Amino acid sequence: MGSLPQSILFCCDHNAVRSPMAEGIMKKLYGFETYVQSVGVMNDLEIDGFAIAVCEEIGVALNRHRSRSFDEMEENGEALSGFDLIVALSPASQRRALDLTRFYHLKVEYWPIMDPTGLGETREQKLNVYRQTRDQLVDHLKRKWGAQP
């Protein structure tokens, strides 16, 4: 297992499901040992209600999350070069992160986390798919940096 980076940025397509889940779970597992943020390639969606619900089940509050894009992050004065690690959770966000960091000495990792949106017919089926995504994130984080301190 690796040591925790000082700062980490999670990214996905819309910053509405996977990356906010990863941000919230990372903060829950590791507290304030690492500065954690999340962004999307676009920010055209609000935080997903199913993501909020399944994270609430494990004590992670996402209801105050506000989606933002890479561009908005930079416009608000937070530079990508300030992060030690970028974790892309979708192919589009990986491409965007690699494109934006091509002049920086910055590590970009890709974690193939399932996109639960649009899967399942009933509310319970949808919740189960979102739980799978949540649990994939928990497993990746614990394999990478160990169990909760």
Side-chain angles (χ1 to χ4, degrees):
M1 274 172 269
S3 59
L4 284 169
Q6 286 189 339
S7 58
I8 183 170
L9 179 69
F10 291 101
C11 57
C12 65
D13 295 341
H14 303 277
N15 193 221
V17 179
R18 290 171 287 181
S19 58
M21 288 172 81
E23 176 185 352
I25 294 166
M26 179 86 182
K27 288 176 179 175
K28 166 92 173 160
L29 290 177
Y30 305 104
F32 297 102
E33 293 181 50
T34 299
Y35 177 70
V36 184
Q37 291 292 306
S38 65
V39 296
V41 175
M42 303 166 279
N43 106 354
D44 54 346
L45 301 173
E46 291 298 318
I47 183 79
D48 187 289
F50 289 110
I52 292 171
V54 300
C55 282
E56 231 170 54
E57 294 173 351
I58 62 167
V60 174
L62 296 183
N63 55 329
R64 295 180 63 206
H65 177 79
R66 296 293 165 249
S67 299
R68 66 183 185 154
S69 67
F70 280 105
D71 293 338
E72 284 176 279
M73 186 186 80
E74 294 263 345
E75 287 166 11
N76 291 331
E78 192 162 15
L80 282 179
S81 60
F83 289 93
D84 297 318
L85 174 64
I86 298 176
V87 175
L89 304 171
S90 71
S93 65
Q94 180 189 28
R95 284 190 301 275
R96 181 80 168 131
L98 289 171
D99 182 51
L100 290 171
T101 61
R102 67 185 180 275
F103 300 116
Y104 303 124
H105 181 70
L106 187 61
K107 186 171 183 173
V108 177
E109 290 185 8
Y110 173 62
W111 295 0
I113 302 295
M114 177 181 67
D115 180 0
T117 58
L119 300 176
E121 298 295 320
T122 67
R123 176 174 171 72
E124 195 54 39
Q125 287 172 340
K126 289 179 183 293
L127 285 169
N128 283 334
V129 174
Y130 276 75
R131 286 180 187 116
Q132 289 175 34
T133 296
R134 175 200 66 201
D135 295 346
Q136 282 182 350
L137 287 165
V138 169
D139 290 345
H140 264 79
L141 289 166
K142 286 183 175 179
R143 274 198 314 270
K144 181 87 176 164
W145 292 299
Q148 184 175 353

